Amino acid sequence: MTAELIVEQAALMSQVQWNKRHREELLLQLIEGSSLNDGQLLSIAQRLDLDLSQPRVATVIKVIPRPGEPVTLEHLQKLVHLLEHPERDNIVGIASVSMNEIVVLKPVTIVNHTWNRKEEQKRVAKLVKRIDNECDFSIQMAIGDYFPGLIGLARSYETAKATIESSTSNDDAVMFYQDRKLSVLVSSIKQDPWRATQLKAPIDKLMAADTKKVLLRTLSTFFAQNCDLAQTCESLHIHRNTLRYRLDKIQQETNLDINNLDDKIQLYLALKCL
């Protein structure tokens, strides 16, 4: 390789790294709420060849390594590469290596003031398939809601981050904030000990009397089946009279009437706080 080619290649690599670094800096300003005005942000984006006029939603992704292995910077960099190639105008950055957090501002299509979720679900399915085929790790991602304007990107990020923070390792690989809104909002209450204790009080009473967790499982299934008695019986493989007996027992232990809307909501939220 001639000296001229070496110099050109080094200059090109330097430019690529410069672009990457400044794209990540812009991403952080957009999701954390920048002191710059829209005009300044748009000017920076234009210099980086990014289109901020395109509607976007924020997505937070965490790497799930193989059992017994740690998350490495190489894992995160590999995932960033997959998110950037093939080119789809994603704005991608490693928000935190220590927190295992990659953020993507994904372009979306707006139809009748609502973003096209079905289209995004197809894209996400393709990404998950590529990761399964090409990587030695899996992922868990949370896709936030859409909010218009540049200021909306920070709000979208908040919904995505809150969604993934409220999730567990048993949850789906792909989660949409809209599907989990109540769980996400309740999870913030769980951070307040006094409110969490108040909400959980009925279930704590139930669990103290229900050592085999039969009643707890019945109540969870009852809500999972949208309070449909027939569906609950079918799911639990029990007779309708058995279900009625268990529901009466739940009312007796919690002092809450499952046929009363306010009491039913209390029981539902208490389960969400577990």
Side-chain angles (χ1 to χ4, degrees), residues 27 33 35 46 57 110 116 134 141 147 153 194 199 218 228 246 249 258 260 270:
L27 171 75
S35 59
Q46 188 175 24
V57 295
I110 305 298
N116 191 334
E134 301 178 28
M141 70 161 59
F147 299 90
L153 295 174
W194 181 81
L199 273 180
T218 299
D228 185 296
R246 290 183 184 178
K249 192 70 175 173
I258 207 161
N260 176 278

Side-chain angles (χ1 to χ4, degrees), residues 173-203:
V174 180
M175 299 168 288
F176 285 82
Y177 167 73
Q178 281 293 339
D179 295 337
R180 302 170 58 89
K181 185 181 290 188
L182 181 59
S183 295
V184 171
L185 296 177
V186 169
S187 71
S188 63
I189 298 176
K190 291 164 68 174
Q191 308 307 315
D192 184 324
W194 181 81
R195 286 180 170 79
T197 300
Q198 290 294 305
L199 273 180
K200 287 173 58 182
I203 294 300

